[in-house]
Amino acid sequence: ADGTHEVSVRARDQVGNWGEATRVSFTVDTIGPAAPVFLQPQNNAVLLEHDVTVRGLAEPLGRVHLELGAQYLGSVEVDTAGRFGLELADLDESPYVLRGYATDRAGNRGETAWVVFTISHIPQAPTITYPSNNLLTRLPVTHVSGVIDVGDDGTFRVYDRQVLVGQFVAPAPTFDVML
């Protein structure tokens, strides 16, 4: 049965004298630990950095086995306070699923937990090449042109005095929009 056990053994000689007992104690543990709890990154987080810190809680002194997508990352130790952590470096811009399960010191496996996060970046501000800033002209300005960050999906918005003129998709990093 699960729990701590203590067994003692004594021997008797041919005339009936009992010797000293030898004792051993042991613990039977057949129950798996609870699923780990991911504290960082938070579920559905959008992260700007390509290096990700993983932090969580699990059964103290066990191990947490981690997978990122279909790739097994290995296992990390859980400290006496139940904390674990891992650094993931140089992740590409993409959505990710991080899965983990805990094992206890007896080798029992617990349920799997997961967290979903995305590596993304904030687009750089577009460069407006026409009209130039503070342009003074007597001719009407009929278009706006410039360059957008090539890492973006090409979607951009044009405003005139904080009023949306339109949302556009540029087929290349350059754009030219009629007003």
Side-chain angles (χ1 to χ4, degrees), residues 85-105:
L86 178 70
E87 301 294 328
L88 304 175
D90 298 323
L91 296 178
D92 292 331
E93 289 189 20
S94 178
Y96 290 93
V97 177
L98 177 67
R99 287 182 298 280
Y101 64 88
T103 54
D104 60 21
R105 292 188 304 158

Side-chain angles (χ1 to χ4, degrees), residues 7-143:
V7 176
S8 63
V9 178
R10 294 175 64 186
R12 185 171 72 175
D13 65 16
Q14 293 177 338
V15 290
N17 297 314
W18 287 97
E20 286 189 41
T22 300
R23 291 183 170 84
V24 295
S25 63
F26 59 92
T27 303
V28 175
D29 176 5
T30 62
I31 300 170
V37 175
F38 289 105
L39 302 175
Q40 186 180 355
Q42 294 182 343
N43 197 35
N44 296 316
V46 177
L47 307 173
L48 303 177
E49 299 296 325
H50 294 265
D51 297 334
V52 176
T53 299
V54 177
R55 298 274 182 258
L57 301 172
E59 182 173 307
L61 300 176
R63 296 191 75 77
V64 174
H65 302 261
L66 297 164
E67 297 174 351
L68 187 62
Q71 179 185 3
Y72 181 71
L73 300 175
S75 66
V76 294
E77 293 181 357
V78 182
D79 69 16
T80 57
R83 298 178 301 236
F84 69 89
L86 178 70
E87 301 294 328
L88 304 175
D90 298 323
L91 296 178
D92 292 331
E93 289 189 20
S94 178
Y96 290 93
V97 177
L98 177 67
R99 287 182 298 280
Y101 64 88
T103 54
D104 60 21
R105 292 188 304 158
N108 299 306
R109 179 181 169 155
E111 296 295 318
T112 300
W114 64 90
V115 62
V116 176
F117 63 93
T118 301
I119 303 294
S120 187
H121 80 286
I122 296 174
Q124 298 293 319
T127 301
I128 298 173
T129 56
Y130 182 82
S132 61
N133 195 29
N134 297 318
L135 173 70
L136 177 60
T137 180
R138 61 187 176 108
L139 302 173
V141 174
T142 59
H143 72 278

Side-chain angles (χ1 to χ4, degrees), residues 126-131 143-148 156 170 172-177:
T127 301
I128 298 173
T129 56
Y130 182 82
H143 72 278
V144 174
S145 58
V147 180
I148 60 172
F156 63 98
T174 59
F175 65 89
D176 189 53
V177 177

